Amino acid sequence: MGGKTGTDGAATPEPLPASRPRVAGDREVELLESAIEVLREVGYDRLTFDAVAASAHASKATLYRRWPHKRDLVIDAVGLFMDCPAEQDPDTGTLRGDLIAQACAQGGLDDDDVVDTWSALLPVIHREPELARGIHERFVAPKIEAARVIFDHARQRGELGADADVDTLLMVLPALSIHEALLSGRRPGPERIAEFVDTVVLPACAASLVPRPEHR
C-alpha cells in the first residue's frame, strides 16, 4: 500500500479520491435545475453538457467532474423531485381526499415540471437500462411507496374491498394522468384528476371479483 511517511516514521495512507466530487450546495442545485430545464426543452437525446453549462453559466469541466455521463446528471436532477409534498401523507381522512391531495401537490401528477420531465424521459428509458434504473430508484419508487401508505390507511378504514389489488391500484391514477398528458396533450388539472379518482380508482378499490355466469 502506498502512502506518506509521517514524522514518527509510520506510513500514513493516501486519502482515497471521491468517485463523484460534490459541487457546493446551492450551486449544485442550480446546475441540476438547469439540467431539468434543458431536458424539458430539448429531450434527453439532445441534452448536452454544453447546453446545461450555458444555461447554468458554468464550465463543462465542472459538470464532467461531478457527473461523468449525462445519464448521471439527469438522474441526480430528477432527484430534485424527491422529498417533495407529493411524497408526504396528506392524511385527509379519506382515500379520495388523500389521492387528490397527493396527486395535486408539488412534485405530483399535476406538476408541470414532473409532466414535462416524464415527456422527455419516456421515449428513451426503454433503451437506457441504467437511466431507467436510476429514474425508478430516485423518482418512481418513492412516489409508489408514498401512495402505498395512503392505500394502507384506506384499508385500515375499510375503504378497500377484500380482494382489492393494491399493487395494481397504485398504477392506475399515474397511468391515466400521464397517458392523457403525453398522448392527448391535455394536462390533467385538479378537476380531471378528481374525475379519474371518482370514476376509475375508487370503483376499482371496492370491486369484488365475481365470477361471470357461464353461457349456455
Side-chain angles (χ1 to χ4, degrees):
M1 295 179 61
K4 299 179 181 178
T5 301
T7 55
D8 58 357
T12 56
E14 294 281 2
L16 294 175
S19 58
R20 294 175 65 184
R22 302 296 298 179
V23 181
D26 291 344
R27 185 53 176 154
E28 178 169 299
V29 172
E30 291 173 359
L31 296 173
L32 295 176
E33 287 175 342
S34 293
I36 286 289
E37 182 179 342
V38 173
L39 178 68
R40 292 174 61 192
E41 288 177 357
V42 304
Y44 182 81
D45 285 333
R46 295 175 59 194
L47 182 147
T48 65
F49 276 41
D50 280 321
V52 175
S55 174
H57 304 289
S59 69
K60 282 197 301 181
T62 299
L63 296 175
Y64 277 117
R65 280 197 300 269
R66 175 70 181 96
W67 298 282
H69 191 281
K70 73 175 181 179
R71 170 185 63 244
D72 306 313
L73 172 61
V74 168
I75 290 170
D76 275 1
V78 168
L80 290 174
F81 297 119
M82 292 179 66
D83 300 323
C84 59
E87 292 173 12
Q88 298 167 9
D89 179 10
D91 195 20
T92 66
T94 67
L95 177 58
R96 181 185 190 275
D98 287 351
L99 287 170
I100 294 171
Q102 203 172 65
C104 296
Q106 180 185 355
L109 298 170
D110 187 39
D111 187 319
D112 284 348
D113 286 345
V114 171
V115 174
D116 288 345
T117 299
W118 267 117
S119 235
L121 291 173
L122 282 178
V124 299
I125 54 177
H126 70 284
R127 56 180 166 80
E128 291 266 357
E130 291 185 39
L131 175 66
R133 189 161 45 249
I135 295 300
H136 184 272
E137 178 182 326
R138 300 291 296 278
F139 182 85
V140 178
K143 288 175 171 48
I144 289 175
E145 290 313 304
R148 189 182 299 279
V149 168
I150 66 176
F151 276 104
D152 288 344
H153 291 170
R155 188 181 292 282
Q156 293 166 13
R157 291 191 298 260
E159 294 182 273
L160 300 188
D163 51 10
D165 182 350
V166 171
D167 287 335
T168 299
L169 292 170
L170 288 169
M171 300 294 105
V172 175
L173 187 56
L176 291 171
S177 301
I178 293 170
H179 181 278
E180 180 154 301
L182 300 189
L183 297 187
S184 77
R186 187 173 73 173
R187 297 296 176 85
E191 291 184 2
R192 184 61 168 159
I193 286 173
E195 186 177 345
F196 288 149
V197 170
D198 290 338
T199 61
V200 182
V201 182
L202 294 182
C205 287
S208 296
L209 302 177
V210 180
R212 294 182 180 179
E214 294 182 5
H215 294 286
R216 296 184 178 179

